[in-house]
């Protein structure tokens, strides 16, 4: 019986790579690099579109009930610069069962209550005077965002004001949700505040 490992002892003879395989491998690597890091490769290739999995939301994501999800998504886009994430799921009765918008690096999930799910005890706020939560949103310009919100139907609970933790305001959107809008202080602002406190 011959030793099956005898073939491993023979000298290695290099072979030229298959040009088709090399081309497919280069294209695959190019797609992966461009899809994940936005980088470029030194040699030009024809990239084909690749499907990417949707980005996962952060560990904690607010999921709110609103009376009119379509209008709410438009409002959040207009006032906060939100971007729709995918298509909303529409229930058989026409209500929005699930929708998502991205605001900065966060995700806001929303849905409308439906009589199809009577066992779900979640309802949209209806002119609340007390709140069980406040959504905290960091914005570039508190004054401009507050004014956009006001002119788009929000009530302003607290006008923009400078605080040790930044410039902030509090609004209640037209769907009954309370928001703290905040622009944190820059390092230079904090140093100036520390100097004046001494």
């Amino acid at each position: 019986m011959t030793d099956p490992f005898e073939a491993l002892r023979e000298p290695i003879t290099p072979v030229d790579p298959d040009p088709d395989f090399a081309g497919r491998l280069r294209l695959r690597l190019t797609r992966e690099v461009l899809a994940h890091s936005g980088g470029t490769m030194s040699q030009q290739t024809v990239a084909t579109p690749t499907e990417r999995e949707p980005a996962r939301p952060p560990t904690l994501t607010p999921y709110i009930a609103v009376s009119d999800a379509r209008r709410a998504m438009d409002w959040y886009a207009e006032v906060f610069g939100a971007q729709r994430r995918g298509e909303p799921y529409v229930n058989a009765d026409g209500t929005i069962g699930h929708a998502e918008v991205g605001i900065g690096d966060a995700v806001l999930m929303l849905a409308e209550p439906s009589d199809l799910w009577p066992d779900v005890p979640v309802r949209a706020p209806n002119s609340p005077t007390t709140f069980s939560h406040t959504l905290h949103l960091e914005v570039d310009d508190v004054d401009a965002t507050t004014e956009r919100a006001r002119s788009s139907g929000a009530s302003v609970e607290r006008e923009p004001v400078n605080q040790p933790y930044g410039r902030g305001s509090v609004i209640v959107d037209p769907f009954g949700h309370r928001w703290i809008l905040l622009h944190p202080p820059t390092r230079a602002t904090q140093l100036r505040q520390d100097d004046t406190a001494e």
Side-chain angles (χ1 to χ4, degrees), residues 6 15 24 54 67 79 86 92 96 99 102 107 128 148 169 188 195-196:
E6 190 62 37
V15 295
R24 288 192 312 273
S67 57
V79 175
I96 299 294
V107 175
R148 260 195 323 274
S169 69
D195 290 343
T196 57

Side-chain angles (χ1 to χ4, degrees), residues 3 13 29 58 63 66 89 114 129-131 134 142 171 178 183-184:
D3 182 1
T13 308
L29 291 171
Y63 201 147
V66 293
Y89 175 81
S114 170
T129 55
T130 60
F131 301 88
T134 299
V142 170
I171 66 161
R178 185 175 188 264
H183 183 76

Side-chain angles (χ1 to χ4, degrees), residues 2 4 37 46 53 124 130 154 162 178 189 193:
T2 59
S37 68
V46 177
E53 289 187 28
T130 60
N162 290 326
R178 185 175 188 264
T189 306
Q193 288 175 346

